[in-house]
Structures are given as structure tokens and as C-alpha cells.
């Protein structure tokens, strides 16, 4: 952190200088600490420059020129997601900065820091990484500038980009540089990207294939092995080769040959200039990119940037192989101080407050939610720590953290309940091309046994000094219902009163674009949760999250969701609006209006998206149907949609006819009363007829009707004409868990009306109490 500290250690120079946009917290949930400790364990001298002033190169000279390289990261969050809400408004706080002070990092921090490091020391090697670099490794749509931008490699002029779980690549790179190998010759590390001259190939055995020749019509399904019935040890009989003019090649040999050829093939994506000019080609490139994400069968990718003499190819090696359990244990078992750097004194760092008593037990997510980029960063294959490693970390928290009072606040990761879940067959896992293991249904090859997680919970709460273990990570409820024993264990012992859960929507249209299960799965879990809570004698609540303005969502979809919220007693305070973050498939839908989940062409499915500010505001207003500030906008929309019957003070109406506080004459009061009686009658007739908000016959999934029974809601809801409780106040710096540069969790500041795109660390927000004693439809959680 300083020259004085270097002198105290007897160092005259650093081997590696890491630059981060976060405050320095020496804890494995923060990527910079994890990387620094890992390199230190390999014998390297590591210096860290935290939140430097980027307005000049001088702060980047603080520790001198590194002997091996500068390691550049924006921090645990994407710098733009960290600074701006989904409405592109500047946030008032930064959870990763002392005293939550905003404005301590630049926009597009990776690019700015890399350029300043190069300016500070010409000739120094510059390596970029973290969530920000990882999700910008190819041409990508940038929501904040509303245009397609170049790969971050082209803008930052870095020598190398590390993406995903980068521990192996990082250690190998450091040792090879230490041995004197030039950085521009290191081109074979998995999980790395770099700029190359046009047409460059590693050797003569490599071939290039155009991505347009790979995309095939139809859904992405797992393909049956046509040789499955042949014995694996099938061989030709002795002498057969000499007797027959054509040798019968065994299936295993043919498969091996195909894999070898695949390993020497690079797929050329449409160029940057092409995807800028043609949204259809952008969607095609996104589809191919995501299909090449399984480290077991992914090929290298290449994308041209520029034209003429200045043209360069962005070359992406296949994703890194997942860490093994012993490797995960080693990384998380390094000697972390488990506290912020002493230079911060007593300053409060909200991200640290959130995670100091929580434990990351796994990485990765096979959910495949299209609004989330966790797969592109941490991977789809779950990487779990051993039970012993996790329990040892709990004991370290107990022994090393003075403020610990016996409460472990989380045992989780990107999701709460994917610990040790994996494909039943390694061969199937390495050849699979599905984008999700749980959509449209849970794969028959997925092991969903929650027994290891149940065992971990029981042993964790039995540790001396531990009074309580609660789960703060979001729960994948469609998996949880497969194990009633797990749900009972969770509800009985590990819920703090609120449990985060993410149905995201109620309507099939947007759910199909999210790759999320139907609302029936939520209803099934909610019933189990309620039953086991009652059996345990506890009053506990679910905190469901919903997204407004997600691609594929219509005004009718949001109206149906609002009616569902009302019928279930949810009155959200702070709500979530879709934020298009780099690399997410939902972002591709938002930009191109095409569905990359299927073959993309000019005539393929068009995905309608709420892009205009007024439409996004309306969708957000439907989530907060009870707030009087939203009633004028909702009334206007209901009249336009032909649903004026939902305007009035009847029990089945969504909003009242008049604003509170507006004086009414006796005559107008009489007219309003007559209109309300008529509107209530119409509402009742439509409910009796099974009409939904869109006017079609519908009772909802799993029997959940769109309208509430009369008298369900107490005074204070929208139907009564009185202001509902909860005024949309901003959060107080609550944080959650997301992806870091090495796949650890992150924390994110809370702000009103914003919703993350998952791995980028965008926060979920705090909830408010529902009018029927239920919790509101928001919470504090990033997506992984």
C-alpha cells in the first residue's frame, strides 16, 4: 500500500503491482485480496494501489515499476454498474469505499487505470482482469453510452486479459514472466485473451471456421451419443486391417479424433464493424459466444477489430477449467487478515459490514438466467470447497474477528443451494451444449442431492461459539423443492425471518426470455416454506424479487404481475428495473430485439423491449401499484389498455379514481361513488368469468388468480384510495454477494429503482413489509 510498508518488509521493488477501484479489504470475498495472497504464496512480492486518483499518472508510480506486471481491476463490481442506476442516475454511495463515499473510481476503470499505468512506466507489462474486463472481452453493447463498444483490450491497450476463474492462468503467467519469457509470446493459457495480427494462428495444425457455418436452427438440446451402444473397448479383430480395404474405426477413436480437431479450431465471430452495423449479426455473435462457454468443449474465438493496416484480432482462448475442491480449499485457506487495511482507521466500509461474518462455499451457477452474466465469468460448473475448509473458516472468524457475536450471516455464493450439485456423468458434462441445466426443466443428468449441504449446515451450527447460522444468498427454489428435507432444515434453523427468492415474473412471455421456471414452482416452494415455518413455530416471510421492463415484457404482462402482487398481499417499496449489462443474453435481446436462445436471422423472432423512458417508468410503476405517486401513470395506462374497470375503490380495482389530497365537491363524490359501484360490479363479473388483466381467460399458474377476493386487503392499499406504507426511500448501504475478479462474492450498494444484471454485481434492494404481513417484492442481493 505504501513505500514505507515496502521498506519495512525489506523490498526494493515489487514483482507485481495490483491496482483496484475498491478499498483494500484482506478477505477472500474480495478478488484483490485473493489474488494478492495467491501470488504471495507463490513467493512473489505483491504491492496494492487502492483507489488511486486517476487524473494523473503520478499515483501509479507510488510503488515503483513492477518487475513482472501491473494487474489492473475495477474491483468487485463493474465500475458503471457501481456508479449508475438502471435509469442512468448517479448513485449517492459506493459500498466499496470508506464511509461509502461516491466518486472514488472513474467510469470504465479498467481502461483508465491501464492507460495511466502505461503512462507511468513505459514498457511495463499490463494485465487486466476482474468482472469489468471479463465481460467486455469482445465487442459488446454498452447501455450507458447506448452503443456497441470495442473489446476492452483494444481500448486499454493491455498486453493480456484474464477472464473467469483466473487463479491457474495468473500463477502460470507470473512464473513464466519470472523465467524471462516475453509476455507477447505467452499465448496458450486458458482463460486469457489478447490482441494478435490478422490471421494469426498458434501453429500450422490450427484451422479457422466461420461462425456462420456453426449456428444451426432449433433449440439448443443435449445430443444423444450415436455410439452409446458400442462397447468402449471395441477393437478390430487381429488381422482385420490387412484383410479389409477399409478399417472400421472404433467409436472412441472417432470421438477422440473429433475432439483433437476441435481443440485446434478457432471460430471467427463477425467483426466489430459488422456487429456495430447489424444488430442481427450482433445477436448471432452473442449466441455463438455463449454456446462456446463449456470448458469441456469450447473452442477458441477470434473477432476482428479495425480495418486496414491498424486491424487487429481479439483472440480468446477457451475458458479456464474449474478449480478442484483441493484447489478451492487452498485459495480460501490463505492467511487473510480478515479486516480492512489499517490506513482506513475507523471508517465504515459497507461492503465489509455485509460480508465479514459470511462464507463463500462455492462458485459458478448452472441456472443460465439470461439477465445474469455469472456463467460467462465464473462458469456453469459448480466448484465447491470441502466441508473441512468451510468449517475451519468459521472457526477463524470466531477466533480472529473481535466483533463476532456468534452469528454466521451466510453460507452461500452465487446461489444458496448449488453446493456440490453437478452432472451425474463427467462425459456428458464435458460434451453438453445446453445454456441451462434447469430450464425449461431440470436436466435428468443433474444430481440434485442436497444431503451434503444439509450436513454442512448441521455441522456449522454445532461449532463452539456459533449461536446462529443464517443463509443470505438467494435460493434456487426449483431445486430446493426436490429436497423437502433441505427445505425443512433451512426453514427451521437458517432463516433470519426473511428468505430471498427470485421468481422474477409471473407471466410466461418474460419468463421464457429470462429462462426462469413458471410461477407454479414458486407457489409450491411458498407452500412448503409456510408449512415448515408453522411447524417450527416461527413467523417468517419470503422476499421475492421481480424485474420490471425485462426484454419480452409487455404492458399486459406487468399489469398481470401487479394484480398478482395485490392478490398475494405484496406491496413493494424499492423495485428493480432491468439493467442491460455487458455480455448477458438479455442485453443482446435489449439491443438487437432478437432472441439469441434460438437460431438468429433477419426473419427470426422479434423480442419487444421496453426501451423508452416512459415505458420503463410504467413497468416500474406497476410493481409499486400501491404508491399514490404512480397512480396517475397507471390510470392513464389502464384506460389506454381498455382496463378502466380496474380504476376505482372497489376491492378488485388496482388504483383509486382520485388522488388523495385533491378536494372533491359533493356532486363529484356522488358521481365517484356511483362509478365505483359500477366498476366494482364489472371487476366482480370479470373475476367470475375468469378474465385476466389482458382480457383473456386465465386463472394463473398453479391456481393463482389475477384478482384478489373481496375484503382481502386492509385499509391503506391502493383500492382504498389512501397512501400505502413505504415511500420508496433509498437503502442504507445494504450489500450482497456477487462475482469478483476471481469468482468470489461481491457486495453492492443499495439504491432505489435499480436492478442488476447479475455477475456485474448490481444490487437487489431492501424490502418493506407488505400490507398483509408479507414481505415486499424486493431484497438486497446482486446476481451473480
Amino acid at each position: 500500500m505504501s513505500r514505507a510498508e515496502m521498506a519495512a518488509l525489506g523490498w526494493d521493488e515489487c514483482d507485481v503491482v495490483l491496482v483496484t477501484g475498491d478499498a483494500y479489504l484482506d478477505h477472500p470475498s474480495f478478488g484483490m485480496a485473493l489474488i494478492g495472497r495467491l501470488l504471495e504464496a507463490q513467493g512473489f512480492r505483491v504491492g496494492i494501489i487502492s483507489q488511486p486518483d486517476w487524473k494523473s499518472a503520478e499515483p501509479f508510480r507510488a510503488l515503483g515499476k513492477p518487475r513482472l506486471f501491473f494487474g489492473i481491476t475495477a474491483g468487485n463490481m463493474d465500475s458503471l454498474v457501481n456508479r449508475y442506476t438502471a435509469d442512468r442516475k448517479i448513485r449517492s454511495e459506493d459500498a466499496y469505499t470508506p464511509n461509502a463515499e461516491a466518486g472514488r473510481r472513474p467510469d470504465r476503470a479498467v481502461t483508465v487505470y491501464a492507460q495511466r499505468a502505461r503512462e507511468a512506466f513505459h514498457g511495463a507489462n499490463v494485465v487486466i482482469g476482474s468482472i469489468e474486463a471479463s465481460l467486455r472481452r469482445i465487442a459488446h453493447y454498452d447501455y450507458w453510452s447506448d452503443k456497441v463498444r470495442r473489446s476492452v483490450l483494444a481500448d486499454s491497450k493491455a498486453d493480456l486479459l484474464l477472464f473467469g476463474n483466473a487463479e491457474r492462468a495468473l500463477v502460470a503467467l507470473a512464473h513464466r514472466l519470472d523465467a524471462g519469457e516475453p509476455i507477447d509470446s505467452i499465448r496458450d493459457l486458458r482463460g486469457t485473451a489478447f490482441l494478435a495480427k490478422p490471421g494469426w494462428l498458434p501453429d500450422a495444425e490450427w484451422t479457422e471456421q466461420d461462425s456462420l457455418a456453426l449456428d444451426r436452427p432449433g433449440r439448443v438440446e443435449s445430443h444423444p451419443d450415436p455410439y452409446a451402444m458400442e462397447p468402449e473397448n471395441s477393437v478390430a479383430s487381429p488381422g482385420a486391417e490387412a484383410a479389409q480395404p477399409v478399417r472400421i474405426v472404433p467409436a472412441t477413436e472417432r470421438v477422440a479424433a473429433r475432439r483433437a480437431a476441435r481443440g485446434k479450431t478457432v471460430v471467427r465471430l463477425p467483426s466489430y464493424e459488422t456487429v456495430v452495423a447489424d444488430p442481427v449479426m450482433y445477436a448471432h455473435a452473442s449466441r455463438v459466444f455463449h454456446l462456446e462457454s463449456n470448458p469441456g468443449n469450447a473452442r477458441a474465438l477470434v473477432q476482428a477489430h479495425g480495418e486496414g493496416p491498424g486491424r487487429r484480432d481479439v483472440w480468446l482462448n477457451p475458458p479456464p477449467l474449474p478449480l478442484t475442491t483441493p484447489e478451492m480449499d487452498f485459495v480460501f485457506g490463505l492467511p487473510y487478515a480478515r479486516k480492512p487495511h489499517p490506513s482506513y482507521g475507523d471508517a465504515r466500509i459497507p461492503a465489509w459490514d455485509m460480508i465479514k461474518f459470511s462464507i463463500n462455499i462455492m462458485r459458478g451457477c448452472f441456472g443460465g438466467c439470461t439477465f445474469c452474466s455469472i456463467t460467462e465469468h465464473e462458469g456453469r460448473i459448480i466448484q465447491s470447497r470441502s466441508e473441512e475448509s468451510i468449517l475451519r473458516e468459521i472457526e477463524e472468524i470466531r477466533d480472529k474477528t473481535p466483533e463476532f457475536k456468534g452469528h454466521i450471516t451466510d453460507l452461500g455464493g452465487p446461489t444458496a443451494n448449488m453446493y456440490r450439485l453437478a452432472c451425474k456423468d463427467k462425459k456428458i458434462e464435458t460434451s453438453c451444449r445446453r445454456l441451462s441445466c434447469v430450464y425449461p426443466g431440470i436436466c435428468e443428468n443433474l444430481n440434485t442431492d442436497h444431503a451434503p449441504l444439509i450436513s454442512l449446515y448441521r455441522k456449522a451450527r454445532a461449532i463452539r461459539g456459533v449461536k446462529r447460522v443464517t443463509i443470505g444468498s438467494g435460493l434456487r427454489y426449483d431445486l430446493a423443492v426436490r429436497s423437502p428435507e433441505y427445505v425443512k432444515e433451512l426453514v427451521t434453523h437458517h432463516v433470519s425471518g426473511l428468505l430471498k427468492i427470485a421468481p422474477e415474473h409471473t407471466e410466461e412471455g418474460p419468463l421464457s426470455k429470462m429462462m426462469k421456471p413458471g410461477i407454479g414452482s414458486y407457489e409450491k416452494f411458498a407452500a412448503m416454506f409456510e408449512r415448515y415455518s408453522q411447524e417450527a413455530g416461527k413467523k417468517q416471510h419470503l422476499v421475492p424479487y421481480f424485474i420490471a421492463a425485462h426484454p419480452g415484457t409487455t404492458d399486459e404482462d406487468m399489469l398481470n404481475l401487479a394484480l398478482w402482487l395485490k392478490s398475494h398481499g405484496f406491496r413493494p417499496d424499492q423495485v428493480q428495473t432491468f439493467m442491460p449489462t455487458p455480455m448477458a443474453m438479455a442485453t443482446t435481446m435489449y439491443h438487437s430485439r432478437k432472441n439469441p436462445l434460438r437460431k438468429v436471422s433477419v426473419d427470426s423472432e422479434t423480442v419487444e423491449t421496453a426501451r423508452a423512458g416512459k415505458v420503463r417508468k410504467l413497468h416500474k410503476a406497476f410493481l409499486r401499484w400501491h404508491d399514490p405517486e404512480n397512480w396517475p401513470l397507471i390510470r392513464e395506462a389502464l384506460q389506454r389498455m381498455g382496463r378502466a374497470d380496474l380504476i376505482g375503490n372497489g376491492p378488485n380495482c388496482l388504483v383509486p379514481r382520485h388522488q388523495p389530497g385533491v378536494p372533491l365537491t359533493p356532486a363529484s363524490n356522488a358521481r365517484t361513488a356511483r362509478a365505483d359501484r359500477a366498476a366494482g360490479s364489472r371487476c366482480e363479473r370479470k373475476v367470475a368469468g375468469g378474465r385476466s388483466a389482458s382480457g383473456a381467460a386465465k386463472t394463473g399458474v398453479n391456481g393463482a388468480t389475477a384478482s384478489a377476493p373481496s375484503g382481502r386487503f386492509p385499509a391503506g392499499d391502493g383500492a382504498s384510495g389512501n397512501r400505502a406504507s413505504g415511500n420508496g426511500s433509498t437503502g442504507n448501504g445494504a450489500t450482497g454477494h456477487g462475482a469478483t475478479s476471481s469468482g468470489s462474492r461481491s457486495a453492492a450498494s443499495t439504491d432505489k429503482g435499480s436492478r442488476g444484471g447479475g455477475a456485474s454485481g448490481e444490487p437487489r434492494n431492501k424490502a418493506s413489509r407488505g400490507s398483509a404481513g408479507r414481505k415486499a417484492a424486493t431484497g438486497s442481493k446482486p446476481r451473480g
Side-chain angles (χ1 to χ4, degrees), residues 70-82:
F70 273 107
I72 307 294
T73 166
N76 270 23
M77 282 181 70
D78 181 288
S79 60
L80 292 169
V81 175
N82 178 278

Side-chain angles (χ1 to χ4, degrees), residues 449-590:
D449 183 14
H450 283 61
L453 192 54
I454 296 171
S455 172
L456 176 63
Y457 287 177
R458 290 171 177 171
K459 291 181 180 179
R461 65 176 187 262
I463 291 177
R464 179 181 57 82
V466 173
K467 301 175 182 177
R468 193 179 189 193
V469 178
T470 55
I471 304 304
S473 296
L475 187 78
R476 189 78 195 198
Y477 55 87
D478 51 346
L479 289 172
V481 296
R482 291 285 188 100
S483 175
E485 182 185 5
Y486 169 75
V487 177
K488 184 174 183 179
E489 186 79 14
L490 175 75
V491 172
T492 304
H493 299 288
H494 300 286
V495 175
S496 62
L498 306 175
L499 181 66
K500 291 178 285 188
I501 191 171
E504 311 296 5
H505 216 286
T506 58
E507 305 305 295
E508 178 59 27
L511 287 173
S512 68
K513 302 302 182 292
M514 299 174 185
M515 292 212 300
K516 292 285 291 186
I519 197 66
S521 297
Y522 167 83
E523 299 284 0
K524 183 176 181 180
F525 178 81
M528 295 175 70
F529 180 87
E530 187 73 21
R531 181 171 75 253
Y532 291 134
S533 292
Q534 290 179 356
E535 289 180 4
K538 296 183 176 181
K539 187 175 182 180
Q540 302 179 139
H541 307 283
L542 293 176
V543 184
Y545 307 128
F546 297 93
I547 304 178
H550 189 279
T553 306
T554 64
D555 293 353
E556 288 75 15
D557 291 329
M558 291 307 300
L559 173 56
N560 282 334
L561 175 53
L563 292 172
W564 186 92
L565 291 170
K566 185 174 188 291
S567 71
H568 285 73
F570 290 120
R571 301 193 318 181
D573 182 7
Q574 298 173 9
V575 299
Q576 317 295 331
T577 306
F578 170 69
M579 178 186 285
T581 52
M583 212 75 83
M585 298 195 84
T587 300
T588 297
M589 298 178 198
Y590 177 90

Side-chain angles (χ1 to χ4, degrees), residues 65-367:
K65 181 180 179 179
R67 186 173 66 88
L68 300 180
F69 62 89
F70 273 107
I72 307 294
T73 166
N76 270 23
M77 282 181 70
D78 181 288
S79 60
L80 292 169
V81 175
N82 178 278
R83 189 179 184 196
Y84 299 96
T85 70
D87 297 322
R88 299 189 179 99
K89 296 179 181 178
I90 295 178
R91 300 184 191 278
S92 58
E93 295 184 346
D94 182 343
Y96 293 87
T97 301
N99 295 319
E101 181 184 351
R104 291 289 299 275
R105 78 187 81 208
D107 291 351
R108 301 182 178 87
V110 165
T111 297
V112 175
Y113 288 162
Q115 292 172 347
R116 288 302 190 198
R118 186 78 79 190
E119 181 183 347
F121 296 104
H122 295 288
N125 296 325
V126 176
V127 180
I128 59 176
S130 79
I131 188 77
E132 180 167 309
S134 185
L135 299 185
R136 287 172 166 79
R137 55 190 186 262
I138 62 172
H140 56 280
Y141 172 73
D142 183 82
Y143 171 66
W144 298 270
S145 58
D146 194 23
K147 67 179 183 180
V148 176
R149 296 180 66 94
R150 302 189 299 175
S151 164
V152 68
L153 272 168
D155 287 338
S156 67
K157 302 297 190 292
D159 296 295
L160 203 63
L161 183 156
L162 304 185
F163 61 86
N165 301 304
E167 287 91 347
R168 285 202 196 95
L170 182 72
V171 170
L173 174 65
H175 282 295
R176 289 171 69 170
L177 290 174
D178 187 47
E181 192 172 346
I183 196 168
D184 59 6
S185 69
I186 301 176
R187 296 289 183 258
D188 57 345
L189 294 176
R190 275 181 167 267
T192 62
F194 49 88
L195 293 174
K197 293 181 179 180
W200 177 86
L201 293 172
D203 58 51
E205 295 182 4
W206 278 74
T207 59
E208 182 180 298
Q209 189 164 11
D210 194 311
S211 64
L212 294 174
L214 300 178
D215 198 13
R216 295 287 182 262
R219 295 176 298 172
V220 180
E221 301 285 359
S222 57
H223 301 291
D225 183 356
Y227 311 108
M229 299 304 294
E230 295 186 29
E232 290 191 5
N233 59 354
S234 173
V235 295
S237 58
E241 187 171 326
Q244 298 180 7
V246 178
R247 185 172 74 92
I248 298 176
V249 182
T252 52
E253 188 175 331
R254 294 197 297 271
V255 171
R258 286 199 299 271
R259 286 182 177 173
R262 189 180 186 87
K264 293 281 188 176
T265 300
V266 59
V267 177
R268 180 166 290 280
L269 300 174
S271 70
Y272 163 72
E273 287 72 22
T274 299
V275 298
V276 166
D278 189 346
V280 173
M281 292 302 288
Y282 182 96
H284 160 78
S286 174
R287 174 173 167 80
V288 173
F289 174 87
H290 284 84
L291 289 174
E292 298 294 335
S293 62
N294 183 345
N297 58 55
R299 288 165 284 196
L301 301 173
V302 66
Q303 184 179 53
H305 281 57
E307 297 174 340
R311 173 185 163 179
R312 289 293 181 269
D313 281 348
V314 174
W315 179 287
L316 277 65
N317 282 323
L321 296 174
L323 297 186
T324 64
T325 294
E327 288 172 330
M328 287 282 286
D329 290 351
F330 174 79
V331 167
F332 283 89
L334 294 169
Y336 302 98
R338 294 189 170 276
K339 59 185 178 180
H341 192 270
S343 64
Y344 302 127
D346 295 329
R348 173 178 170 267
I349 304 175
W352 166 244
D353 292 340
M354 180 65 185
I355 61 86
K356 58 186 171 184
F357 304 134
S358 67
I359 296 177
N360 193 356
I361 65 174
M362 45 76 69
R363 290 182 185 169
C365 180
F366 48 69

